[in-house]
Amino acid sequence: MSAQADRAIRQQAQAMIQSGHLNSANELLREHVQKRARDHEAFAIMGQIASMERRLDDAESMLMRALRGDRKRADYHALLGEILMTSGRHKEAIARFEQAAKLHMGYDAAYAGMAEACLRMGDVDRAMTVLTKGPDTPITAVPHIRALIRHQELEAAIALAHKHLPATTSPQDVQRGLWFAKASACERAGRFEEAFEAASQGNALSAGSWSSEQALAMQRDMREIFSADSIQSLPIASNEDDSPVFIVGLLRSGSTLTEQIIDAHSTAFGAGESELLPGLLTSFQEKYQTMV
């Protein structure tokens, strides 16, 4: 297989990712690397998929495989930094972002990543120092605005947002980040109409949209797929212990607090949050297209 054929496989996988078919893209690449184990770019894409599906251990493993193929790729170090940051390993993430910045001078994603990791650690001053050393681009502006908000420099934060918006040539996630950061700064400054407008612009760029028809169709499909008859035919877990308690809830609904309260009991143990369900939902939606 030629380098051109390798590139075609990776492009096909990227197109699948863009259309939401993560499992299909991952399977395509998994088969590909069995034959082309030195295609480090394929491993990097597989790491990206695993990160999107919140399979962080797998994502880290794939990025390490990619780096073994080419340790001088700044984007690999930066992507690994993002994975480590998502895992809460902020100091390790900063080290990766620093390495990316050394390999690629002026790499804005590396400086943005370093600043974001510092903000998550609560070190706003360090984040500001990092940002003064890096380029002033829409990507670095997102954590910069957030840092200015933390310092209560609201007018400066709004001015920085105005400087870079609408940033239509930047990726949509960067555009959304800028609009939402501006909305936060405007809200804190009491400029509520501007905050509402900025938040609306950010929401308009968000992937997908909710509709009552789609939600009803999803519920209908779930009832058909998981009917009483099909439930009876599904495999039964061998664990007969009835003590585990699963807490399920929407964001900000109190599910984490509930787990912490249970964990505080002397005879209970909080096992933390599981990323299994989001991964299952992703594969389920891909399999049953009517539910997407």
Side-chain angles (χ1 to χ4, degrees):
M1 184 179 289
S2 65
Q4 185 176 359
D6 291 345
R7 190 180 306 110
I9 291 290
R10 295 194 299 268
Q11 290 174 344
Q12 184 181 353
Q14 292 283 21
M16 289 176 175
I17 294 172
Q18 291 294 324
S19 61
H21 296 86
L22 301 183
N23 283 348
S24 298
N26 197 52
E27 285 302 315
L28 174 67
L29 292 170
R30 190 177 297 279
E31 292 179 7
H32 172 65
V33 296
Q34 287 177 355
K35 304 172 185 176
R36 301 284 285 180
R38 294 187 179 182
D39 189 350
H40 51 83
E41 292 186 60
F43 282 109
I45 299 172
M46 290 171 70
Q48 178 188 8
I49 294 170
S51 178
M52 293 170 69
E53 294 182 334
R54 307 289 287 188
R55 295 183 287 107
L56 300 181
D57 289 342
D58 289 343
E60 182 179 355
S61 177
M62 290 298 104
L63 260 298
M64 292 303 295
R65 288 286 299 271
L67 281 167
R68 284 198 289 271
D70 189 347
R71 292 189 176 276
K72 294 185 178 181
R73 284 285 296 262
D75 55 337
Y76 292 177
H77 286 281
L79 181 53
L80 180 55
E82 292 178 12
I83 293 164
L84 293 169
M85 183 165 58
T86 303
S87 301
R89 296 155 61 184
H90 300 120
K91 291 183 179 180
E92 294 176 69
I94 289 173
R96 288 293 175 178
F97 289 126
E98 288 176 340
Q99 182 64 24
K102 288 179 182 178
L103 290 168
H104 183 178
M105 296 298 294
Y107 186 22
D108 53 2
Y111 287 95
M114 274 189 278
E116 181 62 33
C118 292
L119 289 175
R120 295 190 185 189
M121 294 172 65
D123 195 342
V124 183
D125 290 336
R126 186 179 178 185
M128 292 291 287
T129 300
V130 167
L131 291 164
T132 57
K133 296 178 180 178
D136 180 17
T137 68
I139 292 176
T140 58
V142 176
H144 199 168
I145 294 168
R146 289 204 284 262
L148 289 169
I149 292 172
R150 298 271 191 94
H151 270 311
Q152 298 298 314
E153 298 179 39
L154 302 180
E155 294 304 320
I158 296 170
L160 184 58
H162 284 163
K163 176 182 177 180
H164 290 285
L165 284 170
T168 52
T169 59
S170 299
Q172 282 202 347
D173 61 329
V174 175
Q175 296 178 50
R176 286 195 300 271
L178 281 170
W179 283 115
F180 289 138
K182 179 187 175 182
S184 179
C186 289
E187 181 184 11
R188 290 170 184 260
R191 296 160 62 169
F192 300 119
E193 290 187 4
E194 292 178 69
F196 185 86
E197 175 61 25
S200 298
Q201 292 281 1
N203 284 326
L205 291 169
S206 297
S209 59
W210 184 90
S211 71
S212 59
E213 294 82 4
Q214 187 180 40
L216 289 171
M218 179 177 178
Q219 295 297 325
R220 182 175 60 252
D221 291 340
M222 289 181 68
R223 287 195 298 269
E224 292 177 358
I225 295 167
F226 295 104
S227 63
D229 292 337
S230 66
I231 290 292
Q232 294 299 322
S233 65
L234 292 175
I236 299 175
S238 59
N239 183 3
E240 297 180 356
D241 186 354
D242 60 356
S243 59
V245 176
F246 294 91
I247 304 165
V248 181
L250 296 172
L251 295 173
R252 307 299 180 189
S253 66
S255 55
T256 301
L257 176 60
T258 303
E259 189 233 355
Q260 291 173 345
I261 293 171
I262 294 173
D263 182 58
H265 195 281
S266 59
T267 61
F269 171 73
E273 298 183 8
S274 171
E275 298 293 345
L276 177 62
L277 187 57
L280 289 174
L281 285 173
T282 298
S283 60
F284 184 78
Q285 289 178 336
E286 184 173 329
K287 184 175 181 180
Y288 300 100
Q289 291 297 312
T290 56
M291 296 182 64
V292 176

